[in-house]
Amino acid sequence: RAKSEGRGRACIFVPEDEQRTLHRVNTESMLRESIQNGYFELYYQPVFAMGTQRIVGAEALVRLRHPERGLLAPGEFIDVAEDTGLIVQLGEWVLEEGLRQLSFWHRDYDSSIYLSINVSSKQLQDNRFVRTLEMMLSRYRIKPGFLILEITETMLMHNTDHTLEVMNRLKRLGCLLSIDDFGTGYSSLSYLQKFPLDILKIDRSFVTDIDTNSTHNALVSAIITMSKALNLRVICEGVETEQQLETLQNMRCQMGQGYYFSKPIPADQFTLGYLCGALKTPSAS
Ligand code: C2E
Ligand code: MG
Ligand code: MG
Ligand code: MG
């Protein structure tokens, strides 16, 4: 911000602003360095069917393993990646790495699991996105119906027309579309009807206190019921306790993910733990 005010102007920093600018600049250069050196990794969090508690898929969640700063979660860099547009490059890497991993899992372990990938609005605005995705799907021989693209609710509420057009193209490709963090963006289920969605993910903030906050409890229950009427499958995020699991099972929520089942883990740990270990589901062999 200060930069655009030009030279020669007295520029009085509020220390907080200065810090924010510094953080941004530092993070941006760290991101460029990390893209160049391949410091990113994908972690995978298993998604379970609530009824049978069998694994149905995984969500890919990006991590940055920096030689000096250690393992960083997206909260530390995703905002800056989006603001600077670097998310387009990073997102392309995530897509390719995720599909490569999925093709390996499908070929050697379990051809029925889904992979969810988070997509930011900058990526959807990028003209090449759909073509790049199409190319990668064919390169890794992935059936598009096993790829779930997650788009946040707030994203759907902005730049609606273009987003809708891209979503329709993705739908025609055969991908599944999911709304992420539902409940945080104040949109209604009827508003969602205009988008070609397959899955709705209820935000963690509603699941966290589902057993203590009666409003959230009622909301989640209503969302699950109405989603069924709209033909949307539901995933609850942030299931941490057995009690929450039970509550959600009683509400007939189809799928869940959260620390109760597993934290996001590296790919090889996911393979060992969920696709070939003792935890492998009996029906998936
Ligand atoms: P998200 O897509 O809503 O992902 C769920 C987040 O909740 C993940 O955080 C996950 O680790 C965390 N989580 C899952 N279960 C639990 C639980 O039971 N308790 C608690 N407290 N947390 C749980 P993470 O990995 O830090 O990712 C944060 C956000 O960063 C994601 O939220 C997503 O919006 C974004 N993100 C992650 N990877 C990518 C990516 O490749 N591309 C883009 N554009 N965004 C990404
Ligand atoms: Mg997500
Ligand atoms: Mg989410
Ligand atoms: Mg979230």
Side-chain angles (χ1 to χ4, degrees):
R1 208 179 314 144
K3 222 191 237 168
S4 65
E5 282 169 13
R7 278 170 206 276
R9 263 193 67 174
C11 186
I12 302 160
F13 273 117
V14 181
E16 214 173 281
D17 269 5
E18 191 176 0
Q19 259 187 15
R20 209 173 299 141
T21 307
L22 203 65
H23 168 77
R24 249 189 76 101
V25 171
N26 284 339
T27 306
E28 178 174 354
S29 73
M30 178 181 70
L31 284 171
R32 291 189 189 281
E33 176 201 10
S34 303
I35 290 172
Q36 218 156 41
N37 297 333
Y39 291 158
F40 292 101
E41 293 177 13
L42 287 187
Y43 274 39
Y44 297 87
Q45 186 175 38
V47 179
F48 286 84
M50 291 292 225
T52 58
Q53 295 199 49
R54 284 181 186 154
I55 188 166
V56 292
E59 176 172 11
L61 294 156
V62 74
R63 298 288 183 265
L64 199 171
R65 192 179 296 280
H66 195 271
E68 281 117 47
R69 301 190 47 192
L71 188 68
L72 305 179
E76 308 210 38
F77 58 82
I78 269 296
D79 283 357
V80 176
E82 280 175 354
D83 292 346
T84 54
L86 288 169
I87 191 70
V88 173
Q89 256 176 291
L90 173 57
E92 224 168 84
W93 178 84
V94 168
L95 212 52
E96 170 137 33
E97 175 59 17
L99 291 178
R100 191 194 59 73
Q101 186 62 57
L102 183 65
S103 74
F104 169 68
W105 282 335
H106 276 182
R107 193 195 60 200
D108 290 352
Y109 294 97
D110 183 343
S111 58
S112 71
I113 60 168
Y114 295 85
L115 183 71
S116 294
I117 288 184
N118 295 284
V119 176
S120 92
S121 59
K122 279 267 167 68
Q123 287 175 272
L124 287 194
Q125 280 159 28
D126 180 48
N127 285 323
R128 297 161 315 163
F129 179 72
V130 181
R131 258 174 293 147
T132 306
L133 175 62
E134 201 172 0
M135 224 176 57
M136 287 184 190
L137 286 166
S138 81
R139 178 181 309 156
Y140 294 103
R141 298 171 201 281
I142 304 280
K143 295 191 191 81
F146 288 100
L147 176 64
I148 301 168
L149 298 170
E150 297 193 358
I151 299 161
T152 61
E153 181 186 16
T154 28
M155 226 170 92
L156 283 193
M157 295 179 71
H158 301 126
N159 47 49
T160 309
D161 284 350
H162 183 252
T163 304
L164 180 60
E165 189 195 309
V166 176
M167 287 173 78
N168 282 324
R169 286 174 64 199
L170 293 168
K171 217 41 242 175
R172 283 197 293 275
L173 258 187
C175 298
L176 300 176
L177 298 176
S178 169
I179 182 165
D180 203 355
D181 301 344
F182 184 74
T184 56
Y186 306 101
S187 69
S188 64
L189 279 173
S190 72
Y191 172 79
L192 289 190
Q193 271 188 288
K194 68 188 213 172
F195 298 99
L197 293 165
D198 303 281
I199 293 158
L200 183 149
K201 290 185 87 164
I202 298 178
D203 191 67
R204 187 173 77 216
S205 56
F206 296 92
V207 177
T208 301
D209 59 4
I210 196 165
D211 294 306
T212 51
N213 179 329
S214 58
T215 308
H216 281 180
N217 184 291
L219 270 172
V220 171
S221 175
I223 293 168
I224 291 169
T225 304
M226 284 189 279
S227 295
K228 286 194 178 137
L230 296 174
N231 237 339
L232 292 171
R233 277 172 280 171
V234 175
I235 301 178
C236 276
E237 294 185 329
V239 181
E240 292 187 355
T241 68
E242 190 166 1
Q243 180 63 55
Q244 290 164 354
L245 171 69
E246 219 170 89
T247 302
L248 290 164
Q249 281 172 332
N250 290 333
M251 291 180 181
R252 298 278 175 270
C253 172
Q254 291 120 321
M255 290 171 280
Q257 64 187 96
Y259 294 173
Y260 174 77
F261 300 109
S262 166
K263 289 192 171 183
I265 49 179
D268 50 352
Q269 212 171 308
F270 188 96
T271 310
L272 282 172
Y274 294 99
L275 302 177
C276 61
L279 291 169
K280 181 165 178 170
T281 63
S283 72
S285 48

